[in-house]
Amino acid sequence: MLNLEDLDSDQRVAATAPRGPVCILAGAGTGKTRTITYRIAHLIEQGFVSPNRVLAVTFTSRAAGEMRHRLNLMGVGGVQARTFHAAARRQLRYFWPQVAGDLPWRLLDNKFPLIGRAARAVGVGSETENIRDLLSEIEWAKASLISADQYPEAIIRTDRTPPVPAEKVAEVYRRYEQAKTTPDGMMLDFDDLLIHTAGALEHSPAVAEEFREQYRTFVVDEYQDVTPLQQRVLQAWLGERDDLTVVGDANQTIYSFTGASPDHLLNFSRTYENATVVKLQRDYRSTPQITDLANTVIGKATGRVAGTRLELIGMRPPGPQPTFNAYDDEPTEAREVAGQILNLLDQGTPASEIAVLYRINAQSAVFEQALADAGITFQVRGGEGFFNRNEVKQAISELVRAAARDDLPQEAVGPQLHRLVRAILAPMGLTPTEPEGAQARERWQSLNALVELVEELGQASPDLNLNMLLKQLRERADAKHPPTVEGVTLASLHAAKGLEWDAVFLVGLVENTLPISHAIKAGDHQIEEERRLFYVGVTRAREHLHCSWSFARQEGGRKSRKRTRFLDGVVPEPDITQVPPRSVRPKRCRNCGQPLDSATSKVLGRCEDCGSDADEGIFEELRSWRSEMAREMQVPAYIVFTDATLMAVAEAMPTTETELLDISGIGPVKVEKYGTELLRLLAELQ
Ligand code: ATP
Ligand code: MG
């Protein structure tokens, strides 16, 4: 239910302002997204607008799903929350016949072949790299409302370096646009969806009237990253009206390279002189230790946007200081991060509350490897997507089949529905506890995540039965809003926008990666954007923040890398190199004295193949005890204890809580949860 007491007084001003222009200009974690969600709920609850007349625009479809979910929990259903693209696509599909008659169109989701052909015809290099550059250049131009003819002149006024001479880019652009119209109809790329939507509203009074009758209230999140094209669509939606709420943080502008600009956000009160403008400074997400670092990082910004500085005030109780670690090489960095993640898991931090963030997607590989080696489940954001996984698709087909069977209790709701779903999925591999073996385990985790989603949906609507459930799952799948799989998130800094985790690892913080090399070449403007990207990274963490980098790419490689400039004057360099990485862990094997490198070997305090002095039988007993605990607490087994920790327990055979705490990876939280039981079991096994 909607409770305005959940907001502070400034947030409440924005949430309860009358219909009309509202702008929230505020830093990371100050509750902007939360406030607009409450504002929508409030406007609806007070009867100012009905849910189906509200259009909320978010930056990603995941954020849109999240907003609908939060509104549902407050008892508000039926609000359209979408990205600009998804909203435009829907509208265009509806209005197309009115503006284009029966001319067929289809979505062009892969521009690569068309641009490749155009590049070859123009005689510029058609290597993959080059086509990709041409493609982003054309996307930038379209998002900036620059036509092929205008391109050569427009490019002079920017600090962009075209991948090939501007005239040639323009020619490729022109040919690409022409190639999309064929005798069988039109192909529209993602930007065309926006262009045609705006065009339909601008040029057809009938379309505009029908649309404006339908949608009255508009809300835009992450408005600092709006492109001129998106702004034009927004303007076409609004017409002469002004029922618009925007929220954003100029310091988090991280998509300028696509044509986005914070100008519309910063000029909002000039555009709408009667606007309610609210500034928020209290950061509810992060500890003061983290907001201090964030303030220092962004305090060093230079240039235009820097003038919009807002100091964050951390509202959470104090927490640990952020850490800064330098490593010899990337694989070592990745293993150390995996080791620290094991520590967090052992201390009770859920895996879904941990993220490893990097500048470019290619950096994920070495971390994926290290996490897999350490037996840590993870998901790579920007991967295939939950509802696209084979096992999830199969599971949903099973549920559809079950919904047609008259020997099943179709009206089951609540716990009965959950049991029914579990029973239907059991033959697919949903065993009561997590199985061994990587593949079976991954499958199990997906199925289990699906069941958890069912339970969550059931809590939100207690009368949910199988048929209604299927409808909701389908909606989720369309919105690509997967349930949170109980795993560590690996994501790029761009993809982490708007999200938050208890623990965040910012990795690979070296020059030429952050800032990225092409930004360094392009100059100050783009370097500042990279600084903001770092700021976005820092402000994703609630409590634990670990920054790291490494001097060589490969083990034994040349140590030619330098720490990112964004830490200059933030953390003194000598301090860092003196900090030994996690001195708490034994670094050499206690049997043979060899240095330990894998995360697992560090937990064990010995090489993995150096032989264990533990009793096999005791280890097996501990494992079955763990399965029981996991079942009881309804968590995956590794959340209770990892295999490596259990092995370390079997080797040390602790008899007191203090001895338990001595085992690497067992913290006070684990002792409190499992200590008594575990010690009793060990005493029996002695
Ligand atoms: P970003 O700039 O990163 O998008 P944001 O300003 O949108 O951040 P939110 O995600 O809305 O911030 O909020 C950050 C966190 O603080 C969330 O966990 C939210 O639930 C919490 N929060 C926001 N406002 C309050 C409040 N008044 N009381 C308690 N918690 C709050
Ligand atoms: Mg937000």
Side-chain angles (χ1 to χ4, degrees):
M1 270 288 108
L2 172 62
N3 181 3
L4 290 170
E5 295 298 310
D6 294 344
L7 300 179
D8 71 25
S9 53
D10 298 328
Q11 295 172 334
R12 218 173 304 137
V13 169
T16 58
R19 278 180 65 179
V22 175
C23 172
I24 306 179
L25 260 175
T30 52
K32 296 184 295 297
T33 304
R34 177 165 164 140
T35 305
I36 49 172
T37 313
Y38 276 72
R39 175 164 174 74
I40 295 172
H42 175 74
L43 287 173
I44 293 169
E45 206 183 70
Q46 295 294 306
F48 292 122
V49 63
S50 53
N52 58 353
R53 302 239 181 281
V54 180
L55 180 55
V57 181
T58 58
F59 204 77
T60 58
S61 48
R62 186 192 147 87
E66 186 64 36
M67 181 173 286
R68 279 197 300 270
H69 179 60
R70 287 202 211 169
L71 285 169
N72 276 329
L73 292 181
M74 288 193 262
V76 176
V79 172
Q80 296 281 329
R82 296 182 188 276
T83 62
F84 271 109
H85 282 117
R89 186 172 174 176
R90 243 173 88 97
Q91 290 160 21
L92 196 59
R93 196 172 288 144
Y94 181 76
F95 287 118
W96 185 263
Q98 284 186 54
V99 290
D102 48 15
L103 178 71
W105 67 278
R106 67 179 179 83
L107 186 69
L108 172 69
D109 42 20
N110 182 9
K111 304 175 227 194
F112 219 86
L114 284 189
I115 298 205
R117 219 172 299 148
R120 273 190 297 279
V122 175
V124 294
S126 56
E127 308 80 48
T128 314
E129 265 306 294
N130 202 31
I131 295 176
R132 193 167 296 140
D133 288 347
L134 283 165
L135 202 146
S136 14
E137 202 55 20
I138 293 172
E139 283 175 354
W140 168 79
K142 293 181 81 164
S144 307
L145 299 174
I146 295 167
S147 69
D149 291 342
Q150 295 163 333
Y151 178 84
E153 205 184 310
I155 198 79
I156 300 171
R157 285 181 272 114
T158 70
D159 59 357
R160 295 178 82 84
T161 319
V164 297
E167 287 296 344
K168 300 263 187 205
V169 176
E171 191 52 33
V172 175
Y173 182 4
R174 203 169 291 124
R175 281 172 187 264
Y176 164 71
E177 289 298 320
Q178 285 159 1
K180 283 185 299 170
T181 306
T182 69
D184 312 326
M186 280 175 87
M187 289 183 269
L188 303 186
D189 65 25
F190 279 108
D191 297 314
D192 295 331
L193 295 177
L194 296 179
I195 294 171
H196 287 283
T197 301
L201 290 161
E202 287 162 1
H203 302 305
S204 161
V207 167
E209 193 182 333
E210 189 179 343
F211 176 85
R212 290 174 195 155
E213 187 55 37
Q214 169 70 49
Y215 292 106
R216 308 248 167 107
T217 298
F218 299 86
V219 175
V220 186
D221 198 0
E222 307 270 1
Y223 191 53
Q224 75 278 4
D225 269 326
V226 72
T227 65
L229 174 56
Q230 290 167 341
Q231 178 63 30
R232 181 169 149 195
V233 171
L234 182 60
Q235 205 52 62
W237 283 343
L238 281 163
E240 295 301 312
R241 303 168 303 167
D242 67 355
D243 192 356
L244 170 65
T245 302
V246 299
V247 309
D249 174 10
N251 285 324
Q252 293 186 70
T253 305
I254 55 174
Y255 280 88
S256 328
F257 68 99
T258 66
S261 144
D263 289 349
H264 293 289
L265 173 71
L266 297 175
N267 293 331
F268 193 82
S269 56
R270 245 162 285 165
T271 315
Y272 299 98
E273 281 171 1
N274 57 335
T276 305
V277 178
V278 175
K279 296 194 174 176
L280 308 172
Q281 279 187 297
R282 287 182 284 263
D283 178 316
Y284 292 96
R285 175 180 296 146
S286 311
T287 62
Q289 282 73 14
I290 290 167
T291 52
D292 280 356
L293 176 66
N295 286 332
T296 317
V297 166
I298 205 64
K300 297 194 174 297
T302 58
R304 201 172 47 95
V305 176
T308 64
R309 200 168 300 147
L310 288 164
E311 289 257 310
L312 297 174
I313 305 165
M315 297 302 284
R316 290 179 53 119
Q321 284 294 342
T323 66
F324 302 91
N325 281 313
Y327 299 106
D328 282 349
D329 52 70
E330 240 178 62
T332 307
E333 179 183 0
R335 279 192 300 265
E336 285 295 329
V337 166
Q340 294 184 36
I341 292 177
L342 284 178
N343 273 351
L344 286 168
L345 293 173
D346 281 346
Q347 286 158 19
T349 306
S352 55
E353 279 303 336
I354 302 175
V356 179
L357 306 180
Y358 35 76
R359 173 64 180 84
I360 53 169
N361 286 318
Q363 285 172 276
S364 81
V366 59
F367 290 90
E368 287 181 43
Q369 180 70 45
L371 295 193
D373 284 349
I376 299 167
T377 344
F378 60 88
Q379 74 205 86
V380 184
R381 194 176 288 284
E384 57 182 342
F386 181 80
F387 286 100
N388 273 334
R389 290 190 197 160
N390 268 336
E391 61 269 25
V392 175
K393 283 195 201 154
Q394 282 167 12
I396 293 178
S397 317
E398 280 303 320
L399 294 177
V400 170
R401 241 182 312 244
R405 278 171 53 178
D406 46 20
D407 57 334
L408 292 177
Q410 297 295 342
E411 289 315 311
V413 295
Q416 275 186 327
L417 174 70
H418 309 157
R419 273 198 296 277
L420 176 63
V421 170
R422 272 187 186 280
I424 298 167
L425 302 186
M428 297 185 59
L430 185 67
T431 46
T433 51
E434 195 173 340
E436 296 299 326
Q439 281 211 337
R441 194 158 144 184
E442 203 170 293
R443 189 179 173 82
W444 185 90
Q445 280 163 353
S446 295
L447 295 175
N448 194 51
L450 187 62
V451 172
E452 280 169 5
L453 173 65
V454 171
E455 290 175 1
E456 193 188 313
L457 294 173
Q459 264 158 20
S461 28
D463 57 347
L464 190 82
N465 63 23
L466 190 54
N467 245 311
M468 290 153 70
L469 167 71
L470 284 169
K471 184 164 168 281
Q472 293 216 12
L473 288 178
R474 229 169 286 131
E475 279 173 15
R476 286 245 172 175
D478 289 345
K480 297 199 188 62
H481 179 216
T484 20
V485 178
E486 188 61 27
V488 171
T489 299
L490 299 190
S492 71
L493 290 165
H494 280 104
K497 191 172 168 169
L499 306 178
E500 58 188 23
W501 294 270
D502 285 346
V504 169
F505 292 82
L506 297 180
V507 301
L509 298 176
V510 289
E511 284 289 298
N512 288 313
T513 300
L514 189 78
I516 194 128
S517 49
H518 56 74
I520 298 175
K521 271 189 229 125
D524 290 351
H525 231 63
Q526 297 206 19
I527 291 177
E528 286 309 314
E529 177 137 319
E530 300 283 307
R531 188 194 309 278
R532 294 192 292 270
L533 202 47
F534 183 42
Y535 173 74
V536 167
V538 169
T539 53
R540 296 310 97 197
R542 292 200 190 99
E543 196 175 341
H544 302 275
L545 178 67
H546 300 284
C547 301
S548 63
W549 58 96
S550 45
F551 296 115
R553 201 162 75 78
Q554 278 161 348
E555 272 166 299
R558 213 162 66 83
K559 297 187 185 172
S560 53
R561 296 169 157 195
K562 279 184 58 188
R563 178 185 98 168
T564 176
R565 67 185 73 189
F566 301 139
L567 288 175
D568 291 353
V570 176
V571 195
E573 203 139 9
D575 266 18
I576 300 151
T577 33
Q578 281 160 17
V579 176
R582 287 184 305 111
S583 50
V584 290
R585 290 267 171 89
K587 283 209 274 319
R588 292 186 171 273
C589 173
R590 65 176 134 82
N591 294 341
C592 68
Q594 288 292 315
L596 299 176
D597 52 9
S598 78
T600 304
S601 67
K602 285 179 185 163
V603 173
L604 292 174
R606 61 166 174 81
C607 305
E608 279 168 78
D609 49 18
C610 213
S612 164
D613 42 14
D615 182 315
E616 273 291 311
I618 290 183
F619 179 60
E620 284 313 316
E621 289 285 344
L622 287 173
R623 284 176 55 121
S624 54
W625 169 81
R626 175 182 65 175
S627 302
E628 245 170 70
M629 293 308 285
R631 198 166 23 223
E632 214 168 273
M633 313 200 52
Q634 300 201 326
V635 293
Y638 73 94
I639 295 288
V640 180
F641 284 116
T642 59
D643 271 359
T645 306
L646 279 192
M647 182 52 85
V649 171
E651 287 173 10
M653 292 303 282
T655 54
T656 63
E657 289 198 351
T658 323
E659 284 174 15
L660 257 185
L661 280 169
D662 276 347
I663 294 175
S664 191
I666 299 190
V669 177
K670 291 265 148 136
V671 169
E672 197 194 311
K673 266 199 194 145
Y674 309 111
T676 320
E677 289 248 6
L678 184 55
L679 288 172
R680 191 168 48 217
L681 174 69
L682 288 169
E684 275 169 25
L685 296 171
Q686 275 291 5

